[in-house]
Short mmCIF file of all heavy atoms in Angstrom, two decimals:
data_model
loop_
_atom_site.label_atom_id
_atom_site.label_comp_id
_atom_site.label_asym_id
_atom_site.label_seq_id
_atom_site.Cartn_x
_atom_site.Cartn_y
_atom_site.Cartn_z
N LEU A 64 13.94 31.92 1.96
CA LEU A 64 13.04 32.08 3.10
C LEU A 64 12.50 30.68 3.46
O LEU A 64 12.04 29.92 2.67
CB LEU A 64 11.87 32.92 2.70
CG LEU A 64 10.80 33.20 3.84
CD1 LEU A 64 11.43 33.90 4.99
CD2 LEU A 64 9.64 33.89 3.30
N ALA A 65 12.53 30.39 4.80
CA ALA A 65 11.95 29.12 5.39
C ALA A 65 11.09 29.54 6.52
O ALA A 65 11.33 30.52 7.20
CB ALA A 65 13.09 28.16 5.85
N VAL A 66 10.02 28.72 6.71
CA VAL A 66 9.07 28.99 7.75
C VAL A 66 8.84 27.78 8.65
O VAL A 66 9.06 26.66 8.17
CB VAL A 66 7.65 29.44 7.17
CG1 VAL A 66 7.85 30.73 6.41
CG2 VAL A 66 7.04 28.32 6.29
N ARG A 67 8.46 28.04 9.87
CA ARG A 67 8.13 26.89 10.81
C ARG A 67 6.71 27.21 11.27
O ARG A 67 6.44 28.21 11.86
CB ARG A 67 9.18 26.91 11.96
CG ARG A 67 8.83 25.70 12.88
CD ARG A 67 9.78 25.62 14.02
NE ARG A 67 9.76 26.85 14.85
CZ ARG A 67 8.80 27.16 15.69
NH1 ARG A 67 7.73 26.31 15.84
NH2 ARG A 67 8.86 28.24 16.39
N LYS A 68 5.83 26.11 11.04
CA LYS A 68 4.40 26.35 11.35
C LYS A 68 4.29 26.06 12.90
O LYS A 68 5.05 25.28 13.51
CB LYS A 68 3.66 25.35 10.57
CG LYS A 68 3.64 25.73 9.12
CD LYS A 68 2.72 24.87 8.29
CE LYS A 68 2.78 25.33 6.88
NZ LYS A 68 1.87 24.72 5.94
N ARG A 69 3.26 26.64 13.49
CA ARG A 69 2.98 26.50 14.94
C ARG A 69 2.91 25.02 15.27
O ARG A 69 2.16 24.19 14.56
CB ARG A 69 1.68 27.31 15.25
CG ARG A 69 1.28 27.26 16.68
CD ARG A 69 0.04 28.20 16.96
NE ARG A 69 0.24 29.58 16.50
CZ ARG A 69 -0.46 30.08 15.39
NH1 ARG A 69 -1.30 29.36 14.76
NH2 ARG A 69 -0.17 31.26 15.03
N GLY A 70 3.46 24.64 16.41
CA GLY A 70 3.38 23.31 16.83
C GLY A 70 4.21 22.23 16.12
O GLY A 70 4.08 21.11 16.29
N THR A 71 5.08 22.77 15.29
CA THR A 71 6.03 21.86 14.57
C THR A 71 7.48 22.22 14.88
O THR A 71 7.75 23.37 15.35
CB THR A 71 5.75 21.85 13.02
OG1 THR A 71 6.15 23.13 12.45
CG2 THR A 71 4.25 21.54 12.73
N SER A 72 8.42 21.45 14.42
CA SER A 72 9.83 21.73 14.62
C SER A 72 10.55 22.02 13.31
O SER A 72 11.61 22.67 13.29
CB SER A 72 10.57 20.64 15.40
OG SER A 72 10.42 19.40 14.73
N ALA A 73 10.10 21.44 12.16
CA ALA A 73 10.79 21.53 10.91
C ALA A 73 10.53 22.81 10.15
O ALA A 73 9.42 23.30 10.08
CB ALA A 73 10.45 20.35 10.02
N PHE A 74 11.55 23.37 9.59
CA PHE A 74 11.40 24.58 8.69
C PHE A 74 11.22 24.06 7.30
O PHE A 74 11.74 23.00 6.90
CB PHE A 74 12.70 25.37 8.77
CG PHE A 74 12.77 26.32 9.99
CD1 PHE A 74 13.24 25.83 11.18
CD2 PHE A 74 12.33 27.59 9.92
CE1 PHE A 74 13.28 26.63 12.27
CE2 PHE A 74 12.38 28.47 11.01
CZ PHE A 74 12.84 27.91 12.21
N MET A 75 10.36 24.75 6.53
CA MET A 75 10.00 24.39 5.21
C MET A 75 9.80 25.65 4.40
O MET A 75 9.87 26.71 4.85
CB MET A 75 8.74 23.56 5.25
CG MET A 75 7.58 24.28 5.87
SD MET A 75 6.10 23.16 6.21
CE MET A 75 6.80 21.98 7.17
N LEU A 76 9.61 25.42 3.14
CA LEU A 76 9.22 26.52 2.26
C LEU A 76 7.80 27.06 2.54
O LEU A 76 6.96 26.21 2.84
CB LEU A 76 9.34 26.17 0.74
CG LEU A 76 10.70 25.69 0.28
CD1 LEU A 76 10.62 25.09 -1.18
CD2 LEU A 76 11.71 26.86 0.30
N PRO A 77 7.55 28.29 2.37
CA PRO A 77 6.10 28.75 2.44
C PRO A 77 5.29 28.02 1.36
O PRO A 77 5.67 27.99 0.26
CB PRO A 77 6.23 30.25 2.23
CG PRO A 77 7.60 30.61 2.20
CD PRO A 77 8.42 29.39 2.01
N GLY A 78 4.18 27.52 1.74
CA GLY A 78 3.28 26.88 0.87
C GLY A 78 2.33 26.04 1.57
O GLY A 78 2.15 26.08 2.80
N GLY A 79 1.47 25.34 0.83
CA GLY A 79 0.39 24.52 1.39
C GLY A 79 -0.42 23.70 0.41
O GLY A 79 -0.05 23.64 -0.78
N LYS A 80 -1.50 23.18 0.90
CA LYS A 80 -2.34 22.26 0.07
C LYS A 80 -3.08 23.03 -0.99
O LYS A 80 -3.62 24.11 -0.77
CB LYS A 80 -3.23 21.51 0.95
CG LYS A 80 -2.44 20.51 1.84
CD LYS A 80 -3.47 19.78 2.82
CE LYS A 80 -2.63 18.99 3.79
NZ LYS A 80 -3.02 19.19 5.18
N ILE A 81 -3.16 22.43 -2.12
CA ILE A 81 -3.87 23.05 -3.33
C ILE A 81 -5.32 22.82 -3.13
O ILE A 81 -5.79 21.70 -2.85
CB ILE A 81 -3.39 22.41 -4.64
CG1 ILE A 81 -1.89 22.67 -4.77
CG2 ILE A 81 -4.20 22.98 -5.81
CD1 ILE A 81 -1.27 21.91 -6.06
N GLU A 82 -6.13 23.87 -3.15
CA GLU A 82 -7.54 23.87 -3.04
C GLU A 82 -8.26 23.55 -4.33
O GLU A 82 -7.66 23.73 -5.45
CB GLU A 82 -8.04 25.21 -2.52
CG GLU A 82 -7.52 25.52 -1.09
CD GLU A 82 -8.06 26.86 -0.59
OE1 GLU A 82 -8.63 27.64 -1.33
OE2 GLU A 82 -7.75 27.20 0.60
N ALA A 83 -9.45 23.05 -4.24
CA ALA A 83 -10.25 22.65 -5.51
C ALA A 83 -10.31 23.86 -6.43
O ALA A 83 -10.62 25.00 -6.04
CB ALA A 83 -11.59 22.23 -5.09
N GLY A 84 -10.06 23.64 -7.68
CA GLY A 84 -10.13 24.69 -8.67
C GLY A 84 -8.91 25.54 -8.77
O GLY A 84 -8.95 26.55 -9.55
N GLU A 85 -7.93 25.33 -8.00
CA GLU A 85 -6.74 26.24 -7.87
C GLU A 85 -5.59 25.56 -8.58
O GLU A 85 -5.32 24.38 -8.51
CB GLU A 85 -6.43 26.40 -6.39
CG GLU A 85 -5.44 27.45 -6.05
CD GLU A 85 -5.35 27.65 -4.51
OE1 GLU A 85 -5.12 26.62 -3.80
OE2 GLU A 85 -5.40 28.82 -4.09
N THR A 86 -4.83 26.35 -9.37
CA THR A 86 -3.67 25.91 -10.05
C THR A 86 -2.47 25.82 -8.96
O THR A 86 -2.52 26.59 -7.91
CB THR A 86 -3.18 26.81 -11.16
OG1 THR A 86 -2.73 28.07 -10.67
CG2 THR A 86 -4.33 26.98 -12.19
N PRO A 87 -1.42 25.05 -9.21
CA PRO A 87 -0.29 25.13 -8.24
C PRO A 87 0.30 26.54 -8.02
O PRO A 87 0.59 26.96 -6.96
CB PRO A 87 0.70 24.22 -8.89
CG PRO A 87 -0.16 23.15 -9.56
CD PRO A 87 -1.28 23.98 -10.13
N LEU A 88 0.40 27.33 -9.12
CA LEU A 88 0.92 28.67 -9.06
C LEU A 88 0.00 29.53 -8.16
O LEU A 88 0.49 30.23 -7.22
CB LEU A 88 1.16 29.29 -10.34
CG LEU A 88 1.61 30.79 -10.28
CD1 LEU A 88 2.92 30.89 -9.56
CD2 LEU A 88 1.76 31.34 -11.68
N GLN A 89 -1.34 29.43 -8.37
CA GLN A 89 -2.23 30.20 -7.59
C GLN A 89 -2.12 29.83 -6.13
O GLN A 89 -2.23 30.69 -5.14
CB GLN A 89 -3.74 29.97 -8.06
CG GLN A 89 -3.99 30.64 -9.45
CD GLN A 89 -5.31 30.16 -10.02
OE1 GLN A 89 -5.80 29.02 -9.69
NE2 GLN A 89 -5.96 31.06 -10.77
N CYS A 90 -2.04 28.51 -5.79
CA CYS A 90 -1.93 28.07 -4.40
C CYS A 90 -0.62 28.64 -3.85
O CYS A 90 -0.67 29.10 -2.64
CB CYS A 90 -1.92 26.56 -4.41
SG CYS A 90 -1.46 25.89 -2.80
N ALA A 91 0.52 28.48 -4.51
CA ALA A 91 1.83 29.00 -3.93
C ALA A 91 1.71 30.48 -3.64
O ALA A 91 2.16 30.86 -2.52
CB ALA A 91 2.94 28.73 -4.97
N LEU A 92 1.19 31.27 -4.56
CA LEU A 92 1.08 32.75 -4.26
C LEU A 92 0.12 32.99 -3.13
O LEU A 92 0.41 33.88 -2.29
CB LEU A 92 0.68 33.44 -5.54
CG LEU A 92 1.73 33.24 -6.73
CD1 LEU A 92 1.20 34.10 -7.92
CD2 LEU A 92 3.13 33.81 -6.29
N ARG A 93 -0.96 32.28 -3.06
CA ARG A 93 -1.92 32.53 -1.96
C ARG A 93 -1.37 32.14 -0.66
O ARG A 93 -1.46 32.94 0.27
CB ARG A 93 -3.19 31.65 -2.21
CG ARG A 93 -4.25 31.67 -1.03
CD ARG A 93 -5.38 30.73 -1.24
NE ARG A 93 -5.06 29.36 -1.50
CZ ARG A 93 -4.64 28.48 -0.63
NH1 ARG A 93 -4.49 28.78 0.64
NH2 ARG A 93 -4.40 27.19 -1.01
N GLU A 94 -0.66 31.03 -0.60
CA GLU A 94 -0.04 30.52 0.66
C GLU A 94 1.08 31.50 1.15
O GLU A 94 1.23 31.79 2.30
CB GLU A 94 0.51 29.18 0.55
CG GLU A 94 -0.59 28.06 0.48
CD GLU A 94 -1.21 27.75 1.84
OE1 GLU A 94 -0.66 28.20 2.85
OE2 GLU A 94 -2.26 27.01 1.81
N LEU A 95 1.88 32.06 0.21
CA LEU A 95 2.87 32.99 0.57
C LEU A 95 2.34 34.22 1.18
O LEU A 95 2.73 34.68 2.23
CB LEU A 95 3.70 33.37 -0.73
CG LEU A 95 4.94 34.30 -0.43
CD1 LEU A 95 6.02 33.53 0.27
CD2 LEU A 95 5.43 34.87 -1.74
N HIS A 96 1.16 34.65 0.62
CA HIS A 96 0.51 35.83 1.21
C HIS A 96 -0.06 35.52 2.52
O HIS A 96 0.06 36.29 3.53
CB HIS A 96 -0.62 36.33 0.31
CG HIS A 96 -1.32 37.53 0.76
ND1 HIS A 96 -2.62 37.42 1.30
CD2 HIS A 96 -0.94 38.84 0.92
CE1 HIS A 96 -2.98 38.64 1.70
NE2 HIS A 96 -2.04 39.48 1.48
N GLU A 97 -0.77 34.36 2.68
CA GLU A 97 -1.39 33.97 3.98
C GLU A 97 -0.31 33.73 5.05
O GLU A 97 -0.61 34.01 6.25
CB GLU A 97 -2.21 32.77 3.82
CG GLU A 97 -3.49 32.97 2.95
CD GLU A 97 -4.23 31.64 2.69
OE1 GLU A 97 -3.83 30.57 3.16
OE2 GLU A 97 -5.32 31.70 1.98
N GLU A 98 0.89 33.22 4.76
CA GLU A 98 1.82 32.78 5.76
C GLU A 98 2.77 33.86 6.20
O GLU A 98 3.22 33.96 7.31
CB GLU A 98 2.54 31.64 5.32
CG GLU A 98 1.69 30.36 5.22
CD GLU A 98 2.35 29.10 4.79
OE1 GLU A 98 3.58 29.12 4.45
OE2 GLU A 98 1.74 27.99 4.90
N VAL A 99 3.13 34.80 5.16
CA VAL A 99 4.16 35.78 5.48
C VAL A 99 3.77 37.16 5.00
O VAL A 99 4.56 38.11 5.09
CB VAL A 99 5.57 35.39 4.95
CG1 VAL A 99 6.08 34.07 5.59
CG2 VAL A 99 5.62 35.29 3.49
N GLY A 100 2.57 37.33 4.46
CA GLY A 100 2.12 38.65 4.03
C GLY A 100 2.58 39.33 2.83
O GLY A 100 2.33 40.42 2.57
N LEU A 101 3.25 38.48 2.01
CA LEU A 101 3.76 39.04 0.74
C LEU A 101 2.90 38.77 -0.44
O LEU A 101 2.34 37.63 -0.52
CB LEU A 101 5.15 38.43 0.42
CG LEU A 101 6.27 38.78 1.34
CD1 LEU A 101 7.60 38.11 0.89
CD2 LEU A 101 6.50 40.28 1.49
N GLU A 102 2.73 39.69 -1.31
CA GLU A 102 1.91 39.52 -2.46
C GLU A 102 2.84 39.54 -3.73
O GLU A 102 3.54 40.56 -3.91
CB GLU A 102 0.86 40.61 -2.64
CG GLU A 102 -0.28 40.37 -1.59
CD GLU A 102 -1.52 41.19 -1.99
OE1 GLU A 102 -1.89 41.26 -3.15
OE2 GLU A 102 -2.05 41.81 -1.00
N LEU A 103 2.84 38.54 -4.39
CA LEU A 103 3.65 38.40 -5.66
C LEU A 103 2.71 38.20 -6.86
O LEU A 103 1.73 37.58 -6.76
CB LEU A 103 4.63 37.24 -5.75
CG LEU A 103 5.72 37.18 -4.67
CD1 LEU A 103 6.52 35.87 -4.73
CD2 LEU A 103 6.68 38.38 -4.70
N ALA A 104 3.05 38.89 -8.00
CA ALA A 104 2.23 38.83 -9.16
C ALA A 104 2.45 37.42 -9.80
O ALA A 104 1.54 36.93 -10.44
CB ALA A 104 2.53 39.93 -10.17
N SER A 105 3.70 36.95 -9.70
CA SER A 105 4.06 35.71 -10.34
C SER A 105 5.33 35.15 -9.79
O SER A 105 5.99 35.72 -9.03
CB SER A 105 4.16 35.87 -11.86
OG SER A 105 5.36 36.70 -12.13
N ALA A 106 5.56 33.90 -10.20
CA ALA A 106 6.80 33.14 -9.85
C ALA A 106 7.08 32.15 -10.93
O ALA A 106 6.15 31.73 -11.70
CB ALA A 106 6.66 32.46 -8.55
N GLU A 107 8.37 31.81 -11.09
CA GLU A 107 8.77 30.82 -12.13
C GLU A 107 8.75 29.47 -11.63
O GLU A 107 9.22 29.19 -10.50
CB GLU A 107 10.20 31.27 -12.65
CG GLU A 107 10.22 32.63 -13.27
CD GLU A 107 9.36 32.75 -14.51
OE1 GLU A 107 9.39 31.83 -15.33
OE2 GLU A 107 8.62 33.84 -14.60
#
Side-chain angles (χ1 to χ4, degrees):
L64 181 65
V66 299
R67 185 181 56 76
K68 296 184 179 188
R69 185 175 303 111
T71 67
S72 60
F74 281 83
M75 59 190 57
L76 297 172
K80 296 178 184 128
I81 299 172
E82 295 179 354
E85 193 173 49
T86 68
L88 178 58
Q89 289 169 332
C90 172
L92 297 178
R93 173 184 55 77
E94 288 284 349
L95 185 71
H96 181 255
E97 289 175 0
E98 293 183 351
V99 299
L101 293 180
E102 288 194 42
L103 296 180
S105 67
E107 297 298 316

